[in-house]
Amino acid sequence: MEIRDIRAVLFDMDGTLVDSDAVVDRSWSRWATEFGLVPAEVLAVAHGNPAMATVAHFLPDASTAERTAAWARVFDLEVNDVDGVVAKPGALELLGTLERIGLPWAVYTSAPDQLAKVRLSAAGIAPSVLVTVDDVTRGKPDPEGYLRAAELLGVPVTRCLVVEDTVVGLSAGQASGALTAGLKGIPADIELPDLHRLDALFKGLE
């Protein structure tokens, strides 16, 4: 499948459409310190993963209640920090191009609904279809969220392009059966230096 065959684009949020890396780093580093963990080790897992999965990874012996409380703490840190949250370079231009050529798009993120809306709003992005970790029973790398996003757009997932910046997210896209585009050097069907490149590819269809 080639770009001209794509009928919808499914985007990850953090690190793909929205630059929230500084917030993620600040929040998880503080959380790690509070829980007696090594921030660098936590950050190596946290990016792209559902927060509860990260909590479970680092607190394997904690009770369900303790894990829930630990998750609530990092959620509170993240949802109250939008300092520096902006659209990634090329994101707004790309979304404008998709609107002009009539290609629907959606966002699927491992973030909870409230956090996703806070960050997207801060970045000036308003998807018509937003799927969050609250909408699925299995988070990334399971493909459930991307399958759900394609269903909501009314487009077969095999005619969709999934755009991701993490291995765990790209694995979800690949498992869904979609064409994939990878940022930050992640191996994918289409490897992108940034979103400007993807924008140029779609502009070629105008």
Side-chain angles (χ1 to χ4, degrees), residues 163-182:
V163 186
E164 275 278 1
D165 75 313
T166 66
V167 172
V168 66
L170 194 78
S171 296
Q174 291 171 331
S176 76
L179 191 72
T180 58

Side-chain angles (χ1 to χ4, degrees), residues 3 9 94 97-98 101 103 198-206:
I3 283 289
V9 184
L94 170 58
T97 297
L98 295 179
I101 65 178
L103 273 187
L198 188 57
D199 184 37
L201 292 174
F202 280 115
K203 274 190 169 74
L205 303 179
E206 291 187 280

Side-chain angles (χ1 to χ4, degrees), residues 101-173:
I101 65 178
L103 273 187
W105 57 277
V107 173
Y108 168 45
T109 173
S110 293
D113 188 74
Q114 182 184 354
L115 179 58
K117 289 177 177 176
V118 165
R119 288 185 178 164
L120 288 166
S121 177
I125 296 172
S128 58
V129 170
L130 171 62
V131 178
T132 73
V133 72
D134 294 334
D135 301 312
V136 300
T137 57
R138 299 174 302 279
K140 299 175 183 178
D142 190 277
E144 181 184 353
Y146 280 123
L147 293 171
R148 177 65 175 153
E151 179 185 10
L152 290 171
L153 290 178
V155 178
V157 73
T158 53
R159 301 298 295 277
C160 293
L161 175 68
V162 164
V163 186
E164 275 278 1
D165 75 313
T166 66
V167 172
V168 66
L170 194 78
S171 296

